[in-house]
Amino acid sequence: MSVDVQPSHVDQIKQINIGLVYRLIDQYGPISRIALSKKAQLAPASITKITRELIEAHLVKEVEFPELGFRGRPAIGLKLDSKGWQFLCVRIDKGSVVFGLRDLSNHLIVEDELLFPVSENQHFLDYLIELVDNFLFRYQSLLERLTAVSVTTNAIIDPVNGIIHHSPYYDIQNLSLCSFLYQRVGVPIFLQHGITAWTIAESLYGAGKGSQNIIQVVIDDNVGVGIMTAGKILHAGNQSVVEIGHTQVDPDGERCYCGNTGCLETVVGIKNILLKAQKSARQHPDSLISTTTSLTVEFFCQAANQGDLLATEIIRDVGERIGHIMAIMVNIFNPDKILIGSPLNEAKHILYPVIQQKITQLSLPGYSEKVDIAATAFANSGTLPAASLIKQSLYSGQLLLEIMQG
């Protein structure tokens, strides 16, 4: 959770510079101080001061490495020192919670998925902290210096103040999650929407790495978008991701949990796609879908890949609806990449061309021609998205300063 006192201008510069140096060491280490000074565009004296502080905090260490083209003694370079520094990732889903213990290099030490059948505010917090305590106790032999906790969930949240305003899964309202966890655990707490965190993860070490302008579309039980523009996540400090899942696309459709009718999520969400396919299969006895009573998204995609007309038609409809919205967003954000995070990626040879066709048809040619549509590198599971919040806070310098100040 962020410190309440606003940092001074000098403190802000220090935070930015120390985060920049840490990121460059992470990306290029082992790296010499001279090379680091050039890449960071900071004076050698500043590099010496910052790296000394990072070394004293045991966040960076000196190592010998051979310089290409030079003989003699190896050069002294800098690399990250992640040993002993750990953080806890928490992913809250419908009816379950996933815990992951990782070190600062993002190496996963242990991960558990547990049932989470709770409802109202206090019951939610009490049960969550009980599971946190039990997890840390269960793996205390693996536990070293816990530096932070990151939490992701698909809900309407305020990540700056650490509040879950509303959840589609749980009967909770305006829940001050971060302040509660901070009082109980005593380390910085980070909260973010699951889709936003996933987009950050893809940009740092996934399919979006190296791209400055990304739109990530998630088509799962939840439907949403994460947007990165000029290397920064849009609305990362706001209450939600860019909202498309609750855009009305069918005025006569079913009631959504948000209170509206016919939201995109009720039409192209995976759960709703499978229900539609099962109902439609009654009128299509030749469809492979009619051969199963418990339709899964894996079977649905397999049917489409085998040429099943009903499954193909439904996937094409999803592509057209998503493509229509993507065309508008391409005109607004001019992305380099559109990443698709969905179980429907198993039938991407059907889905992607339809999305591309709609974008080409409806958006500015100069923008649509350069867009690359690709699958996300990571699946919508586990704690890697939550881990990206820690990496981001290290790169910004925020968590580094808190660690160094004890």
Side-chain angles (χ1 to χ4, degrees):
M1 206 168 68
S2 301
V3 179
D4 291 332
V5 179
Q6 291 295 316
S8 69
H9 181 63
V10 173
D11 290 338
Q12 284 181 326
I13 293 174
K14 180 180 179 181
Q15 177 180 314
I16 291 169
N17 287 344
I18 203 166
L20 171 62
V21 169
Y22 184 91
R23 175 173 62 82
L24 291 172
I25 295 173
D26 190 14
Q27 292 174 340
Y28 299 103
I31 182 173
S32 69
R33 287 173 173 82
I34 294 173
L36 192 57
S37 176
K38 290 177 180 177
K39 288 187 178 293
Q41 296 185 320
L42 292 173
S46 297
I47 292 294
T48 298
K49 182 176 185 297
I50 291 171
T51 55
R52 184 175 65 246
E53 291 176 344
L54 289 170
I55 290 171
E56 289 173 352
H58 301 287
L59 291 161
V60 165
K61 62 183 177 182
E62 291 183 326
V63 294
E64 291 185 347
F65 71 104
E67 287 195 289
L68 295 177
F70 292 92
R71 295 182 179 180
R73 295 180 60 186
I76 299 298
L78 300 164
K79 65 180 293 186
L80 298 190
D81 185 2
S82 302
K83 184 176 176 55
W85 297 105
Q86 297 173 338
F87 58 94
L88 178 65
C89 299
V90 183
R91 175 192 173 111
I92 302 171
D93 289 327
K94 182 179 181 180
S96 69
V97 60
V98 185
F99 294 100
L101 184 65
R102 295 173 180 264
D103 65 23
L104 287 191
S105 69
N106 210 19
H107 170 69
L108 179 62
I109 299 165
V110 64
E111 190 171 86
D112 274 356
E113 182 171 3
L114 304 168
L115 294 178
F116 193 52
V118 298
S119 53
E120 63 278 349
N121 283 13
Q122 197 54 45
H123 187 195
F124 183 100
L125 292 174
D126 291 341
Y127 197 15
L128 180 62
I129 195 62
E130 181 182 341
L131 290 180
V132 169
D133 289 342
N134 289 344
F135 177 86
L136 296 177
F137 179 77
R138 188 159 58 251
Y139 296 108
Q140 60 181 323
S141 62
L142 303 174
L143 195 62
E144 297 188 52
R145 289 173 291 190
L146 190 68
T147 60
V149 176
S150 62
V151 183
T152 62
T153 188
N154 290 330
I156 298 173
I157 65 168
D158 177 353
V160 174
N161 295 301
I163 297 171
I164 301 177
H165 288 294
H166 174 73
S167 170
Y169 312 137
Y170 302 102
D171 183 20
I172 54 177
Q173 300 289 330
N174 302 321
L175 190 69
S176 297
L177 179 73
C178 286
S179 63
F180 177 83
L181 289 179
Y182 180 75
Q183 290 171 5
R184 298 295 296 267
V185 184
V187 297
I189 313 293
F190 298 91
L191 172 68
Q192 188 52 269
H193 191 285
I195 293 175
T196 299
W198 189 1
T199 305
I200 294 169
E202 293 289 342
S203 71
L204 287 174
Y205 27 68
K209 187 176 181 180
S211 296
Q212 292 288 296
N213 302 290
I214 301 166
I215 296 177
Q216 178 175 323
V217 189
V218 174
I219 312 167
D220 211 320
D221 288 339
N222 293 102
V223 177
V225 170
I227 294 177
M228 175 168 283
T229 179
K232 295 186 180 297
I233 284 288
L234 189 68
H235 293 177
N238 209 329
Q239 291 190 1
S240 184
V241 289
V242 176
E243 186 56 71
I244 66 166
H246 298 286
T247 302
Q248 188 183 69
V249 296
D250 183 4
D252 298 320
E254 68 175 79
R255 175 74 65 177
C256 179
Y257 64 81
C258 74
N260 291 332
T261 301
C263 290
L264 181 67
E265 193 167 290
T266 68
V267 178
V268 305
I270 295 298
K271 179 180 69 174
N272 300 85
I273 287 174
L274 297 182
L275 287 173
K276 177 182 178 180
Q278 285 178 309
K279 289 180 182 177
S280 300
R282 297 167 190 163
Q283 283 76 48
H284 296 79
D286 295 335
S287 172
L288 291 171
I289 295 171
S290 65
T291 65
T292 180
T293 54
S294 55
L295 182 61
T296 65
V297 67
E298 291 80 14
F299 186 92
F300 175 76
C301 288
Q302 287 173 12
N305 290 335
Q306 292 175 35
D308 187 272
L309 295 179
L310 175 58
T312 300
E313 178 188 336
I314 292 173
I315 290 176
R316 288 184 60 83
D317 179 65
V318 172
E320 288 191 2
R321 292 180 184 274
I322 293 293
H324 192 279
I325 291 178
M326 284 301 99
I328 297 170
M329 301 188 80
V330 164
N331 272 350
I332 296 172
F333 296 106
N334 189 15
D336 310 312
K337 280 191 174 182
I338 294 178
L339 304 180
I340 310 291
S342 176
L344 297 180
N345 281 340
E346 292 300 316
K348 64 183 179 182
H349 71 285
I350 301 170
L351 179 66
Y352 290 12
V354 179
I355 295 174
Q356 183 68 68
Q357 183 180 23
K358 273 293 176 185
I359 291 173
T360 302
Q361 177 187 347
L362 299 175
S363 63
L364 191 66
Y367 287 7
S368 62
E369 288 167 2
K370 70 169 191 172
V371 174
D372 177 30
I373 300 179
T376 54
F378 311 119
N380 189 15
S381 61
T383 56
L384 189 63
S388 72
L389 304 182
I390 303 299
K391 181 73 77 174
Q392 185 186 51
S393 67
L394 291 167
Y395 283 0
S396 73
Q398 178 187 358
L399 182 55
L400 287 174
L401 289 183
E402 295 200 42
I403 290 173
M404 293 164 70
Q405 291 166 3

